[in-house]
Amino acid sequence: MDIKTIETGTDGAALMPQPGMASSSGGLAAGVAMCLMSMSSIQFGAALSSPAIAIYGVAGATWLRLAFAAIILAVVVRPSLLRYSGAQWRATLLLGTTTAAMTLCFFAAIQRLPLGLAIAIDFLGPLSVAVFGYGLTWRLLWPLIAAAGILFLAHDGEGWVGNLPGVLFALGSAVGWAVYILLTKKVGAAFKGLEGLSMSLIVAGLVATPFGLAETGGAFTLKGLAEVLGLAILVPLLPYALEMVALRRMPSASFGILMSLEPALGALAGFLILAQPMTALQMLGTALVVAASAGATASAAKT
């Protein structure tokens, strides 16, 4: 059975070696359903994060989310900490640190920008990896289209939305996402199953701990902790599980194109949950970002 490199989306995006997928129509339909559920979980999980962030702050809520996710996955996977090599530890330390920085930047961005705009800027990370991996070719057109879409998203017809810190945080998340993809290729090859993911989440939780404690001051409530636990299940645990199963049921190109819908789902979640309306120009901007991501995925699949 051939091994294919699969790029997955979301704020837990990763390039992971996966076995060849089943080609049955039933398996494909199930894979599409799981993919859509994964993206919805991520975007609505992000939109629902506002109350937890209001209680614990960006760093505090992000730390608790990472810590809960790490604990749950460690209980399930039970990684053998003492038998890993130095190379494996170095890989997970880098990936975990990147995960923490990426997640902190992402949630700081959505506190300052409309969700659709933050997701669109964030998507520049994996889009750049996909495009620049093929050198200076005509595929550079896709990031330019995405950039035009982001400019449309950033204007509501009356003025520019968000602020400079929010844009910088979103760009930081995009850079983190790109680095995350490259590092996950190494971690995926160095560990079996979900052990690499479990280890990187443990590191991410530890890296975020000083920032989280500094912001929360250790003041926790059972209700607040229960809310963050639910958010940790929404992002990243449920999406990881759904994507792993979906990738076994559908071709990688189809998966990548489906994940291109994520900026649109982010805009929808922002509208439904956060009451963030969109003008016709912003809808066009979202469509351009989606088209750029889908185009980059499709052209890469033909190479």
Side-chain angles (χ1 to χ4, degrees):
M1 184 178 294
D2 293 336
I3 299 296
K4 297 181 179 181
T5 298
I6 308 296
E7 180 177 349
T8 70
T10 87
D11 92 1
L15 283 173
M16 297 288 288
Q18 297 288 343
M21 282 67 67
S23 58
S24 67
S25 59
L28 179 61
V32 170
M34 291 176 187
C35 197
L36 292 174
M37 289 172 62
S38 170
M39 288 186 289
S40 299
S41 177
I42 291 167
Q43 300 310 324
F44 284 88
L48 290 168
S49 297
S50 293
I53 292 175
I55 296 172
Y56 296 118
V58 171
T62 301
W63 164 55
L64 290 172
R65 180 197 296 265
L66 289 170
F68 278 131
I71 292 169
I72 294 171
L73 193 58
V75 170
V76 174
V77 175
R78 296 181 182 179
S80 301
L81 305 181
L82 298 180
R83 66 178 176 85
Y84 295 134
S85 67
Q88 287 175 309
W89 274 104
R90 285 191 294 272
T92 54
L93 285 172
L94 287 172
L95 180 58
T97 301
T98 299
T99 300
M102 174 182 68
T103 309
L104 286 166
C105 284
F106 174 73
F107 284 103
I110 66 173
Q111 283 299 103
R112 295 166 171 82
L113 302 175
L115 185 59
L117 175 58
I119 295 293
I121 296 175
D122 198 26
F123 236 68
L124 291 176
L127 179 61
S128 298
V129 171
V131 170
F132 288 103
Y134 292 95
L136 299 177
T137 67
W138 63 271
R139 290 183 179 85
L140 291 176
L141 176 66
W142 299 123
L144 294 177
I145 294 175
I150 289 171
L151 285 177
F152 291 161
L153 273 166
H155 202 280
D156 63 1
E158 298 181 357
W160 299 103
V161 299
N163 52 47
L164 181 59
V167 171
L168 292 177
F169 276 123
L171 288 173
S173 180
V175 172
W177 196 352
V179 176
Y180 180 95
I181 290 172
L182 299 175
L183 290 175
T184 304
K185 293 175 68 175
K186 295 182 179 180
V187 172
F191 291 86
K192 63 180 182 179
L194 290 176
E195 290 185 12
L197 171 61
S198 179
M199 289 294 297
S200 66
L201 279 176
I202 291 172
V203 172
L206 291 174
V207 169
T209 296
F211 302 97
L213 284 177
E215 189 156 20
T216 63
F220 305 116
T221 65
L222 288 178
K223 181 181 177 181
L225 291 175
E227 289 179 357
V228 179
L229 175 59
L231 292 172
I233 294 172
L234 275 177
V235 185
L237 290 181
L238 183 59
Y240 273 127
L242 289 170
E243 287 177 7
M244 283 198 67
V245 178
L247 284 167
R248 297 189 178 103
R249 297 171 181 264
M250 62 192 303
S252 59
S254 300
F255 180 85
I257 292 172
L258 266 176
M259 295 308 294
S260 303
L261 294 173
E262 195 155 1
L265 284 176
L268 177 62
F271 173 73
L272 293 177
I273 298 177
L274 302 176
Q276 296 173 345
M278 297 186 72
T279 65
L281 188 63
Q282 288 175 318
M283 292 180 185
L284 174 60
T286 300
L288 287 176
V289 175
V290 170
S293 182
T297 302
S299 61
K302 295 177 181 178
T303 302

